[in-house]
Amino acid sequence: MDDLSIKSLGTIPETLLIPLAARMTAPDRHPDLQFRDAEAMRIGTALGFDPARFARDTGSMRGSVLRAQWFDRITETFIASHPAGLCVSIGSGLDDRPSRIRLPATVDWVDADFADVVRLREALVARRANVRTIRVTETEPLAWMDELGWTPGRPTLVLAEGVSMYLLPSVGENLLRGLVDRAARNGALLELAADFASPIMVRQSRRNPSLAKTRASFRWAVPRPETVGDIAPGLAVIEAVDITRRCGALARTMASLHRLLTGRPVYFCGHYRFRPR
Ligand SMILES: C[S@@+](CC[C@H](N)C(=O)[O-])C[C@H]1O[C@@H](n2cnc3c(N)ncnc32)[C@H](O)[C@@H]1O
């Protein structure tokens, strides 16, 4: 029988527990953010997962909730403009955004993650007719791009929440270029929402109290929002937000100090758009 426990998760997939803990504990720990996710609580409970493992790391928990709210907003705005679009969530972990944002039936949704995560998703996340899942492999980490079923001219939103920093730099850069290449070939508007860690955050990742409770560490740094467009020409910044400024006094001070010394954010959520010719 399949092992449906959190012990079955590999090194990087285990990190999905950090934002899951944040979503489960948000109403108690951060009531001011008014974030509720009934599915996170149901999924976490079914897994026998105790969010207390990470809940003392207030900065990461609050940051994960603020990040989820930012990604929810970007997704809702995209869907309002493109009600027959395609949404793709890379590294979706055990997040059930479709339930949170009440995904309309006209939008197709794809979740992509490693096989051990997909096994848990298939057992625990409620199924929907317009949502499907793709298994990502370590050997061909970008093969999912050709499994999406691009439709010429169909607007596509790609979400990567809490994922970029776990990618090998070569995989991250090829992901950005590959998306632009496929959108251009299909004459499709492409939007990308992703969060990125600075070089110092990557170097110091094992000092992150939540990450230190897993076996994972960060690998790919993106210093500035504009770097994404340097890597994949055509991807223009629509919005870039440094949510660490809203994660408590210590995080705010560190973020301000980093910006003062380097002129760059220590961490940011970036929203990008590529328009085909
Ligand atoms: C920190 S978790 C974030 C999960 C989810 N986005 C959330 O916010 O709850 C990182 C996720 O990215 C996935 N991941 C890492 N590298 C990946 C890759 N190359 N392709 C697909 N998923 C990946 C992990 O398996 C894990 O589920």
Side-chain angles (χ1 to χ4, degrees):
M1 206 177 116
D2 271 354
D3 180 2
L4 290 179
S5 73
I6 55 178
K7 292 200 185 78
S8 67
L9 290 168
T11 302
I12 292 177
E14 187 189 4
T15 62
L16 67 80
L17 298 172
I18 301 169
L20 179 63
R23 293 192 298 275
M24 290 170 75
T25 55
D28 287 339
R29 300 295 305 268
H30 307 287
D32 58 308
L33 298 181
Q34 299 188 351
F35 180 87
R36 287 194 188 279
D37 188 333
E39 283 306 287
M41 189 52 90
R42 190 186 61 72
I43 291 166
T45 307
L47 267 179
F49 168 53
D50 182 357
R53 177 170 166 199
F54 300 106
R56 283 206 192 84
D57 179 5
T58 308
S60 294
M61 294 296 100
R62 192 173 174 82
S64 295
V65 175
L66 288 164
R67 183 177 75 185
Q69 290 178 312
W70 185 83
F71 276 82
D72 283 354
R73 176 172 64 75
I74 298 289
T75 310
E76 286 169 334
T77 306
F78 175 84
I79 289 172
S81 302
H82 308 290
L86 172 67
C87 295
V88 185
S89 171
I90 306 306
S92 43
L94 289 174
D95 179 51
D96 188 11
R97 173 156 292 113
S99 76
R100 231 175 20 250
I101 61 162
R102 297 201 178 92
L103 184 72
T106 51
V107 172
D108 284 323
W109 185 281
V110 177
D111 287 300
D113 210 311
F114 293 119
D116 43 353
V117 181
V118 171
R119 199 167 51 236
L120 292 185
R121 286 194 73 85
E122 288 180 343
L124 298 168
V125 178
R127 288 172 194 241
R128 288 163 189 265
N130 54 336
V131 175
R132 68 189 173 100
T133 311
I134 294 178
R135 282 176 170 71
V136 175
T137 61
E138 293 272 4
T139 46
E140 283 191 85
L142 298 176
W144 56 266
M145 273 196 263
D146 291 316
E147 295 174 39
L148 288 182
W150 294 83
T151 307
R154 187 179 199 189
T156 301
L157 170 68
V158 175
L159 306 165
E161 178 181 2
V163 180
S164 75
M165 51 293 281
Y166 298 107
L167 303 178
L168 287 170
S170 59
V171 172
E173 292 179 6
N174 286 334
L175 164 74
L176 298 175
R177 292 189 195 110
L179 287 173
V180 167
D181 175 57
R182 282 158 186 81
R185 276 195 267 140
N186 285 286
L189 172 88
L190 170 73
E191 292 195 11
L192 168 73
D195 55 323
F196 296 98
S198 58
I200 190 167
M201 201 169 155
V202 170
R203 278 198 303 276
Q204 309 269 327
S205 71
R206 293 298 302 166
R207 292 188 177 207
N208 176 306
S210 290
L211 205 58
K213 294 193 173 180
T214 70
R215 292 156 292 161
S217 42
F218 294 158
R219 302 194 283 196
W220 185 33
V222 173
R224 296 176 299 117
E226 295 74 20
T227 306
V228 167
D230 297 339
I231 296 169
L235 271 179
V237 184
I238 303 170
E239 180 187 337
V241 180
D242 181 356
I243 55 171
T244 44
R245 289 159 177 252
R246 294 177 59 203
C247 292
L250 181 62
R252 191 167 52 244
T253 308
M254 301 291 277
S256 303
L257 204 58
H258 184 269
R259 196 177 272 276
L260 200 69
L261 294 174
T262 65
R264 303 190 300 236
V266 74
Y267 166 82
F268 64 92
C269 295
H271 182 196
Y272 299 87
R273 186 175 291 140
F274 168 80
R275 283 188 195 283
R277 288 171 192 224

